[in-house]
PDB file of all heavy atoms in Angstrom:
ATOM      1  N   TYR A   1      -0.886  11.747  14.900  1.00 96.00           N
ATOM      2  CA  TYR A   1      -1.619  12.393  16.000  1.00 96.00           C
ATOM      3  C   TYR A   1      -3.006  11.774  16.128  1.00 96.00           C
ATOM      4  O   TYR A   1      -3.450  11.436  17.224  1.00 96.00           O
ATOM      5  CB  TYR A   1      -1.735  13.902  15.757  1.00 96.00           C
ATOM      6  CG  TYR A   1      -2.614  14.577  16.779  1.00 96.00           C
ATOM      7  CD1 TYR A   1      -2.083  15.029  17.980  1.00 96.00           C
ATOM      8  CD2 TYR A   1      -3.980  14.744  16.558  1.00 96.00           C
ATOM      9  CE1 TYR A   1      -2.891  15.634  18.934  1.00 96.00           C
ATOM     10  CE2 TYR A   1      -4.797  15.338  17.505  1.00 96.00           C
ATOM     11  CZ  TYR A   1      -4.242  15.782  18.697  1.00 96.00           C
ATOM     12  OH  TYR A   1      -5.050  16.367  19.647  1.00 96.00           O
ATOM     13  N   LYS A   2      -3.685  11.614  15.001  1.00 94.00           N
ATOM     14  CA  LYS A   2      -5.035  11.046  15.019  1.00 94.00           C
ATOM     15  C   LYS A   2      -5.021   9.604  15.517  1.00 94.00           C
ATOM     16  O   LYS A   2      -5.920   9.184  16.245  1.00 94.00           O
ATOM     17  CB  LYS A   2      -5.660  11.117  13.629  1.00 94.00           C
ATOM     18  CG  LYS A   2      -5.971  12.534  13.193  1.00 94.00           C
ATOM     19  CD  LYS A   2      -6.474  12.582  11.766  1.00 94.00           C
ATOM     20  CE  LYS A   2      -6.695  14.004  11.306  1.00 94.00           C
ATOM     21  NZ  LYS A   2      -7.118  14.070   9.900  1.00 94.00           N
ATOM     22  N   LEU A   3      -4.004   8.825  15.144  1.00 93.00           N
ATOM     23  CA  LEU A   3      -3.896   7.447  15.630  1.00 93.00           C
ATOM     24  C   LEU A   3      -3.672   7.419  17.139  1.00 93.00           C
ATOM     25  O   LEU A   3      -4.303   6.649  17.858  1.00 93.00           O
ATOM     26  CB  LEU A   3      -2.735   6.715  14.940  1.00 93.00           C
ATOM     27  CG  LEU A   3      -2.913   6.365  13.476  1.00 93.00           C
ATOM     28  CD1 LEU A   3      -1.622   5.777  12.922  1.00 93.00           C
ATOM     29  CD2 LEU A   3      -4.061   5.394  13.291  1.00 93.00           C
ATOM     30  N   GLU A   4      -2.778   8.261  17.592  1.00 94.00           N
ATOM     31  CA  GLU A   4      -2.452   8.284  19.019  1.00 94.00           C
ATOM     32  C   GLU A   4      -3.608   8.779  19.875  1.00 94.00           C
ATOM     33  O   GLU A   4      -3.705   8.427  21.047  1.00 94.00           O
ATOM     34  CB  GLU A   4      -1.214   9.136  19.270  1.00 94.00           C
ATOM     35  CG  GLU A   4       0.056   8.525  18.714  1.00 94.00           C
ATOM     36  CD  GLU A   4       1.288   9.378  18.944  1.00 94.00           C
ATOM     37  OE1 GLU A   4       1.185  10.488  19.508  1.00 94.00           O
ATOM     38  OE2 GLU A   4       2.384   8.927  18.554  1.00 94.00           O
ATOM     39  N   HIS A   5      -4.483   9.567  19.295  1.00 93.00           N
ATOM     40  CA  HIS A   5      -5.612  10.128  20.038  1.00 93.00           C
ATOM     41  C   HIS A   5      -6.954   9.505  19.644  1.00 93.00           C
ATOM     42  O   HIS A   5      -8.014  10.067  19.920  1.00 93.00           O
ATOM     43  CB  HIS A   5      -5.645  11.649  19.863  1.00 93.00           C
ATOM     44  CG  HIS A   5      -4.500  12.312  20.551  1.00 93.00           C
ATOM     45  ND1 HIS A   5      -3.277  12.507  19.947  1.00 93.00           N
ATOM     46  CD2 HIS A   5      -4.376  12.774  21.810  1.00 93.00           C
ATOM     47  CE1 HIS A   5      -2.464  13.077  20.805  1.00 93.00           C
ATOM     48  NE2 HIS A   5      -3.099  13.256  21.938  1.00 93.00           N
ATOM     49  N   LEU A   6      -6.890   8.341  18.988  1.00 89.00           N
ATOM     50  CA  LEU A   6      -8.078   7.549  18.650  1.00 89.00           C
ATOM     51  C   LEU A   6      -9.087   8.293  17.792  1.00 89.00           C
ATOM     52  O   LEU A   6     -10.288   8.052  17.871  1.00 89.00           O
ATOM     53  CB  LEU A   6      -8.761   7.031  19.926  1.00 89.00           C
ATOM     54  CG  LEU A   6      -7.865   6.337  20.949  1.00 89.00           C
ATOM     55  CD1 LEU A   6      -8.669   5.941  22.165  1.00 89.00           C
ATOM     56  CD2 LEU A   6      -7.172   5.145  20.344  1.00 89.00           C
ATOM     57  N   GLU A   7      -8.600   9.192  16.960  1.00 89.00           N
ATOM     58  CA  GLU A   7      -9.491   9.956  16.098  1.00 89.00           C
ATOM     59  C   GLU A   7      -9.720   9.286  14.749  1.00 89.00           C
ATOM     60  O   GLU A   7     -10.500   9.782  13.952  1.00 89.00           O
ATOM     61  CB  GLU A   7      -8.946  11.372  15.901  1.00 89.00           C
ATOM     62  CG  GLU A   7      -8.957  12.187  17.179  1.00 89.00           C
ATOM     63  CD  GLU A   7      -8.409  13.585  16.984  1.00 89.00           C
ATOM     64  OE1 GLU A   7      -8.195  14.016  15.827  1.00 89.00           O
ATOM     65  OE2 GLU A   7      -8.191  14.257  17.999  1.00 89.00           O
ATOM     66  N   THR A   8      -9.023   8.197  14.494  1.00 87.00           N
ATOM     67  CA  THR A   8      -9.182   7.478  13.237  1.00 87.00           C
ATOM     68  C   THR A   8      -8.932   5.998  13.480  1.00 87.00           C
ATOM     69  O   THR A   8      -8.268   5.626  14.435  1.00 87.00           O
ATOM     70  CB  THR A   8      -8.234   8.023  12.145  1.00 87.00           C
ATOM     71  OG1 THR A   8      -8.579   7.447  10.900  1.00 87.00           O
ATOM     72  CG2 THR A   8      -6.786   7.736  12.455  1.00 87.00           C
ATOM     73  N   ASN A   9      -9.498   5.176  12.628  1.00 88.00           N
ATOM     74  CA  ASN A   9      -9.231   3.738  12.691  1.00 88.00           C
ATOM     75  C   ASN A   9      -7.974   3.440  11.891  1.00 88.00           C
ATOM     76  O   ASN A   9      -7.697   4.099  10.899  1.00 88.00           O
ATOM     77  CB  ASN A   9     -10.400   2.941  12.101  1.00 88.00           C
ATOM     78  CG  ASN A   9     -11.607   2.959  12.990  1.00 88.00           C
ATOM     79  OD1 ASN A   9     -11.495   2.894  14.209  1.00 88.00           O
ATOM     80  ND2 ASN A   9     -12.782   3.051  12.393  1.00 88.00           N
ATOM     81  N   ILE A  10      -7.255   2.430  12.302  1.00 90.00           N
ATOM     82  CA  ILE A  10      -6.043   2.048  11.588  1.00 90.00           C
ATOM     83  C   ILE A  10      -6.291   0.746  10.833  1.00 90.00           C
ATOM     84  O   ILE A  10      -6.946  -0.157  11.350  1.00 90.00           O
ATOM     85  CB  ILE A  10      -4.848   1.908  12.556  1.00 90.00           C
ATOM     86  CG1 ILE A  10      -3.543   1.753  11.778  1.00 90.00           C
ATOM     87  CG2 ILE A  10      -5.050   0.785  13.548  1.00 90.00           C
ATOM     88  CD1 ILE A  10      -2.297   1.940  12.630  1.00 90.00           C
ATOM     89  N   THR A  11      -5.823   0.694   9.609  1.00 92.00           N
ATOM     90  CA  THR A  11      -5.931  -0.541   8.838  1.00 92.00           C
ATOM     91  C   THR A  11      -4.698  -1.394   9.123  1.00 92.00           C
ATOM     92  O   THR A  11      -3.683  -0.901   9.629  1.00 92.00           O
ATOM     93  CB  THR A  11      -6.005  -0.257   7.323  1.00 92.00           C
ATOM     94  OG1 THR A  11      -4.756   0.310   6.906  1.00 92.00           O
ATOM     95  CG2 THR A  11      -7.159   0.666   6.976  1.00 92.00           C
ATOM     96  N   ILE A  12      -4.782  -2.650   8.772  1.00 91.00           N
ATOM     97  CA  ILE A  12      -3.648  -3.557   8.952  1.00 91.00           C
ATOM     98  C   ILE A  12      -2.453  -3.068   8.124  1.00 91.00           C
ATOM     99  O   ILE A  12      -1.320  -3.060   8.595  1.00 91.00           O
ATOM    100  CB  ILE A  12      -4.023  -5.002   8.560  1.00 91.00           C
ATOM    101  CG1 ILE A  12      -5.137  -5.538   9.452  1.00 91.00           C
ATOM    102  CG2 ILE A  12      -2.808  -5.916   8.588  1.00 91.00           C
ATOM    103  CD1 ILE A  12      -4.777  -5.688  10.908  1.00 91.00           C
ATOM    104  N   ASN A  13      -2.707  -2.612   6.914  1.00 93.00           N
ATOM    105  CA  ASN A  13      -1.617  -2.121   6.058  1.00 93.00           C
ATOM    106  C   ASN A  13      -0.939  -0.901   6.667  1.00 93.00           C
ATOM    107  O   ASN A  13       0.289  -0.784   6.633  1.00 93.00           O
ATOM    108  CB  ASN A  13      -2.125  -1.790   4.658  1.00 93.00           C
ATOM    109  CG  ASN A  13      -2.514  -3.015   3.871  1.00 93.00           C
ATOM    110  OD1 ASN A  13      -2.009  -4.112   4.125  1.00 93.00           O
ATOM    111  ND2 ASN A  13      -3.402  -2.849   2.916  1.00 93.00           N
ATOM    112  N   THR A  14      -1.721   0.006   7.215  1.00 94.00           N
ATOM    113  CA  THR A  14      -1.152   1.196   7.838  1.00 94.00           C
ATOM    114  C   THR A  14      -0.399   0.822   9.109  1.00 94.00           C
ATOM    115  O   THR A  14       0.674   1.363   9.380  1.00 94.00           O
ATOM    116  CB  THR A  14      -2.241   2.238   8.137  1.00 94.00           C
ATOM    117  OG1 THR A  14      -2.894   2.586   6.920  1.00 94.00           O
ATOM    118  CG2 THR A  14      -1.657   3.489   8.770  1.00 94.00           C
ATOM    119  N   LEU A  15      -0.939  -0.102   9.875  1.00 94.00           N
ATOM    120  CA  LEU A  15      -0.248  -0.550  11.084  1.00 94.00           C
ATOM    121  C   LEU A  15       1.117  -1.131  10.724  1.00 94.00           C
ATOM    122  O   LEU A  15       2.117  -0.856  11.390  1.00 94.00           O
ATOM    123  CB  LEU A  15      -1.084  -1.577  11.847  1.00 94.00           C
ATOM    124  CG  LEU A  15      -0.462  -2.138  13.116  1.00 94.00           C
ATOM    125  CD1 LEU A  15      -0.105  -1.039  14.105  1.00 94.00           C
ATOM    126  CD2 LEU A  15      -1.408  -3.148  13.759  1.00 94.00           C
ATOM    127  N   GLU A  16       1.163  -1.904   9.649  1.00 94.00           N
ATOM    128  CA  GLU A  16       2.434  -2.471   9.213  1.00 94.00           C
ATOM    129  C   GLU A  16       3.414  -1.360   8.821  1.00 94.00           C
ATOM    130  O   GLU A  16       4.597  -1.415   9.168  1.00 94.00           O
ATOM    131  CB  GLU A  16       2.215  -3.423   8.052  1.00 94.00           C
ATOM    132  CG  GLU A  16       3.468  -4.171   7.651  1.00 94.00           C
ATOM    133  CD  GLU A  16       3.210  -5.226   6.594  1.00 94.00           C
ATOM    134  OE1 GLU A  16       2.366  -5.007   5.701  1.00 94.00           O
ATOM    135  OE2 GLU A  16       3.871  -6.267   6.675  1.00 94.00           O
ATOM    136  N   LYS A  17       2.952  -0.328   8.126  1.00 96.00           N
ATOM    137  CA  LYS A  17       3.804   0.804   7.757  1.00 96.00           C
ATOM    138  C   LYS A  17       4.338   1.520   9.002  1.00 96.00           C
ATOM    139  O   LYS A  17       5.510   1.887   9.066  1.00 96.00           O
ATOM    140  CB  LYS A  17       3.025   1.816   6.911  1.00 96.00           C
ATOM    141  CG  LYS A  17       2.734   1.376   5.507  1.00 96.00           C
ATOM    142  CD  LYS A  17       1.962   2.474   4.800  1.00 96.00           C
ATOM    143  CE  LYS A  17       1.573   2.117   3.398  1.00 96.00           C
ATOM    144  NZ  LYS A  17       0.851   3.228   2.736  1.00 96.00           N
ATOM    145  N   VAL A  18       3.461   1.714   9.986  1.00 97.00           N
ATOM    146  CA  VAL A  18       3.859   2.396  11.215  1.00 97.00           C
ATOM    147  C   VAL A  18       4.886   1.551  11.974  1.00 97.00           C
ATOM    148  O   VAL A  18       5.887   2.081  12.469  1.00 97.00           O
ATOM    149  CB  VAL A  18       2.631   2.719  12.100  1.00 97.00           C
ATOM    150  CG1 VAL A  18       3.055   3.214  13.480  1.00 97.00           C
ATOM    151  CG2 VAL A  18       1.745   3.756  11.418  1.00 97.00           C
ATOM    152  N   MET A  19       4.649   0.240  12.047  1.00 96.00           N
ATOM    153  CA  MET A  19       5.611  -0.630  12.737  1.00 96.00           C
ATOM    154  C   MET A  19       6.967  -0.585  12.037  1.00 96.00           C
ATOM    155  O   MET A  19       8.004  -0.534  12.706  1.00 96.00           O
ATOM    156  CB  MET A  19       5.087  -2.067  12.814  1.00 96.00           C
ATOM    157  CG  MET A  19       3.934  -2.209  13.787  1.00 96.00           C
ATOM    158  SD  MET A  19       3.389  -3.903  14.143  1.00 96.00           S
ATOM    159  CE  MET A  19       3.387  -4.692  12.575  1.00 96.00           C
ATOM    160  N   ASN A  20       6.979  -0.565  10.715  1.00 96.00           N
ATOM    161  CA  ASN A  20       8.244  -0.445   9.983  1.00 96.00           C
ATOM    162  C   ASN A  20       8.914   0.896  10.275  1.00 96.00           C
ATOM    163  O   ASN A  20      10.123   0.956  10.462  1.00 96.00           O
ATOM    164  CB  ASN A  20       8.024  -0.610   8.481  1.00 96.00           C
ATOM    165  CG  ASN A  20       7.710  -2.032   8.088  1.00 96.00           C
ATOM    166  OD1 ASN A  20       8.097  -2.982   8.767  1.00 96.00           O
ATOM    167  ND2 ASN A  20       6.996  -2.198   6.993  1.00 96.00           N
ATOM    168  N   ALA A  21       8.126   1.958  10.309  1.00 97.00           N
ATOM    169  CA  ALA A  21       8.667   3.288  10.612  1.00 97.00           C
ATOM    170  C   ALA A  21       9.234   3.340  12.028  1.00 97.00           C
ATOM    171  O   ALA A  21      10.221   4.039  12.283  1.00 97.00           O
ATOM    172  CB  ALA A  21       7.584   4.352  10.434  1.00 97.00           C
ATOM    173  N   LEU A  22       8.608   2.591  12.936  1.00 96.00           N
ATOM    174  CA  LEU A  22       9.080   2.531  14.321  1.00 96.00           C
ATOM    175  C   LEU A  22      10.219   1.526  14.507  1.00 96.00           C
ATOM    176  O   LEU A  22      10.742   1.379  15.603  1.00 96.00           O
ATOM    177  CB  LEU A  22       7.927   2.151  15.254  1.00 96.00           C
ATOM    178  CG  LEU A  22       6.836   3.188  15.443  1.00 96.00           C
ATOM    179  CD1 LEU A  22       5.629   2.579  16.136  1.00 96.00           C
ATOM    180  CD2 LEU A  22       7.373   4.378  16.239  1.00 96.00           C
ATOM    181  N   GLU A  23      10.560   0.850  13.413  1.00 95.00           N
ATOM    182  CA  GLU A  23      11.638  -0.147  13.429  1.00 95.00           C
ATOM    183  C   GLU A  23      11.370  -1.255  14.441  1.00 95.00           C
ATOM    184  O   GLU A  23      12.231  -1.644  15.223  1.00 95.00           O
ATOM    185  CB  GLU A  23      12.986   0.516  13.713  1.00 95.00           C
ATOM    186  CG  GLU A  23      13.356   1.570  12.704  1.00 95.00           C
ATOM    187  CD  GLU A  23      14.550   2.402  13.101  1.00 95.00           C
ATOM    188  OE1 GLU A  23      14.984   2.359  14.274  1.00 95.00           O
ATOM    189  OE2 GLU A  23      15.047   3.126  12.226  1.00 95.00           O
ATOM    190  N   CYS A  24      10.124  -1.764  14.437  1.00 92.00           N
ATOM    191  CA  CYS A  24       9.782  -2.853  15.342  1.00 92.00           C
ATOM    192  C   CYS A  24       8.995  -3.914  14.589  1.00 92.00           C
ATOM    193  O   CYS A  24       8.333  -3.630  13.603  1.00 92.00           O
ATOM    194  CB  CYS A  24       9.027  -2.355  16.562  1.00 92.00           C
ATOM    195  SG  CYS A  24       7.369  -1.779  16.257  1.00 92.00           S
ATOM    196  N   ASP A  25       9.099  -5.129  15.090  1.00 88.00           N
ATOM    197  CA  ASP A  25       8.381  -6.227  14.467  1.00 88.00           C
ATOM    198  C   ASP A  25       7.083  -6.498  15.228  1.00 88.00           C
ATOM    199  O   ASP A  25       6.771  -5.816  16.208  1.00 88.00           O
ATOM    200  CB  ASP A  25       9.252  -7.484  14.389  1.00 88.00           C
ATOM    201  CG  ASP A  25       9.724  -7.953  15.757  1.00 88.00           C
ATOM    202  OD1 ASP A  25       9.198  -7.496  16.790  1.00 88.00           O
ATOM    203  OD2 ASP A  25      10.631  -8.794  15.797  1.00 88.00           O
ATOM    204  N   ILE A  26       6.345  -7.481  14.773  1.00 85.00           N
ATOM    205  CA  ILE A  26       5.050  -7.799  15.376  1.00 85.00           C
ATOM    206  C   ILE A  26       5.198  -8.142  16.850  1.00 85.00           C
ATOM    207  O   ILE A  26       4.452  -7.641  17.691  1.00 85.00           O
ATOM    208  CB  ILE A  26       4.370  -8.962  14.620  1.00 85.00           C
ATOM    209  CG1 ILE A  26       4.038  -8.554  13.190  1.00 85.00           C
ATOM    210  CG2 ILE A  26       3.100  -9.415  15.340  1.00 85.00           C
ATOM    211  CD1 ILE A  26       3.632  -9.714  12.300  1.00 85.00           C
ATOM    212  N   SER A  27       6.177  -8.973  17.155  1.00 81.00           N
ATOM    213  CA  SER A  27       6.364  -9.414  18.542  1.00 81.00           C
ATOM    214  C   SER A  27       6.660  -8.256  19.479  1.00 81.00           C
ATOM    215  O   SER A  27       6.110  -8.192  20.575  1.00 81.00           O
ATOM    216  CB  SER A  27       7.489 -10.441  18.629  1.00 81.00           C
ATOM    217  OG  SER A  27       7.165 -11.577  17.895  1.00 81.00           O
TER     218      SER A  27
END
């Protein structure tokens, strides 16, 4: 919720975890 509403900064490591959870790659 905080990520989607810009209430927190995202780290590269967390972004990678979220992309894996979303089942999507970088591209």
Side-chain angles (χ1 to χ4, degrees):
Y1 173 87
K2 291 175 184 177
L3 289 174
E4 292 179 358
H5 291 88
L6 310 178
E7 294 180 10
T8 189
N9 288 322
I10 190 166
T11 66
I12 298 295
N13 290 335
T14 302
L15 179 57
E16 187 174 36
K17 287 180 182 181
V18 170
M19 289 189 317
N20 288 334
L22 291 168
E23 301 170 347
C24 70
D25 59 14
I26 295 168
S27 297

